Amino acid sequence: MIKVSASLLAADPLALGEAATRMQAAGVDWLHVDVMDGHFVPNLNFGPAVVAALRQHTSLPLDVHLMLDHPEEYIETFIRAGADWLTIHQEIAADVPALLRRIRALGARPGLSIKPDTPAQAALPLLPLADLVLVMTVHPGFGGQKLIPGALGKLSALRDAAGALGRPMHWQVDGGIGPENAVLAVQAGADVLVMGSALVSAPNPADVAAQIHAL
Ligand code: DX5
Ligand code: ZN
């Protein structure tokens, strides 16, 4: 079944616990927590304390998306805080293979993300080290943007290459995904859809989650 990861970036920051409870009641599969450093992306938001507070509040897996130039300084902190999945970006200057290995060694599941302008080829050598690939479908930094459909085309090349590895992986898309275009993402090869504004701000998020689960 296609999974829904609800992005709390779209929630009222003063009511994150309530949003997490509402998303769990709506039947979502994971909670997506966007972490931004004001350098890798032009925005700032949640830190490890928010992840730790969410961990106390919900039993849903926490899918933490690190949009940080220097995740090496915070990987351990986020895993101790309760991140189940920890995704870093391919585009950073750090030693990405070493960081993916470290995430796994510390007990979380490593994810690798690429921005819309990054070619699929850039991620290929890293596939053996990741359990999840996140193909960004907007330029990261803000919720509520419009899907860049061309980014979806990268999923098939990545999935083909990963097929040779012979192990299960998740294929995530993030940015501008809603009920109107979710089928395109699934047809392109995604199996985990991150949804912020189209889900968290929906009057009936359970209907939205059910629609995605039915794809
Ligand atoms: C953007 C974030 C996304 C964002 C998606 O940088 O990575 O997770 O919350 O929000 P929507 O679904 O509103 O585009
Ligand atoms: Zn995200």
Side-chain angles (χ1 to χ4, degrees):
M1 192 168 71
I2 303 299
K3 290 187 192 301
V4 178
S5 190
S7 174
L8 294 176
L9 191 59
D12 175 354
L14 294 183
L16 289 176
E18 184 270 333
T21 303
R22 211 159 42 85
M23 289 301 108
Q24 186 155 7
V28 310
D29 303 281
W30 297 355
L31 286 182
H32 184 85
V33 186
D34 288 303
V35 179
M36 308 183 184
D37 66 354
H39 294 277
F40 184 73
V41 288
N43 201 358
L44 286 164
N45 68 338
F46 314 137
V50 170
V51 172
L54 286 166
R55 183 67 298 154
Q56 297 304 310
H57 198 82
T58 177
S59 55
L60 288 175
L62 297 177
D63 160 32
V64 178
H65 177 193
L66 296 182
M67 286 165 272
L68 307 179
D69 266 338
H70 292 288
E72 63 273 22
E73 295 167 21
Y74 294 101
I75 279 171
E76 190 162 354
T77 312
F78 278 104
I79 293 172
R80 282 184 197 280
D84 297 286
W85 293 86
L86 201 57
T87 295
I88 61 172
H89 270 264
Q90 182 276 336
E91 299 87 355
I92 58 176
D95 183 346
V96 175
L99 295 183
L100 292 169
R101 287 193 184 94
R102 191 151 142 234
I103 291 169
R104 193 185 299 285
L106 289 168
R109 309 280 304 271
L112 175 75
S113 182
I114 53 172
K115 298 200 278 188
D117 293 340
T118 301
Q121 284 70 13
L124 294 182
L126 299 165
L127 292 180
L129 299 174
D131 287 351
L132 173 153
V133 174
L134 165 51
V135 172
M136 289 299 303
T137 43
V138 297
H139 296 288
F142 299 91
Q145 303 181 71
K146 217 167 135 8
L147 173 87
I148 301 170
L152 293 173
K154 290 186 266 185
L155 282 160
S156 63
L158 289 162
R159 287 196 68 148
D160 286 352
L165 302 172
R167 64 191 182 86
M169 289 178 69
H170 281 303
W171 303 93
Q172 193 174 56
V173 286
D174 181 11
I177 306 287
E180 74 293 349
N181 56 26
V183 69
L184 291 179
V186 172
Q187 282 168 353
D191 71 340
V192 183
L193 308 189
V194 176
M195 293 176 66
S197 38
L199 174 73
V200 179
S201 317
N204 194 344
D207 287 351
V208 178
Q211 253 178 285
I212 305 303
H213 288 148
L215 287 177

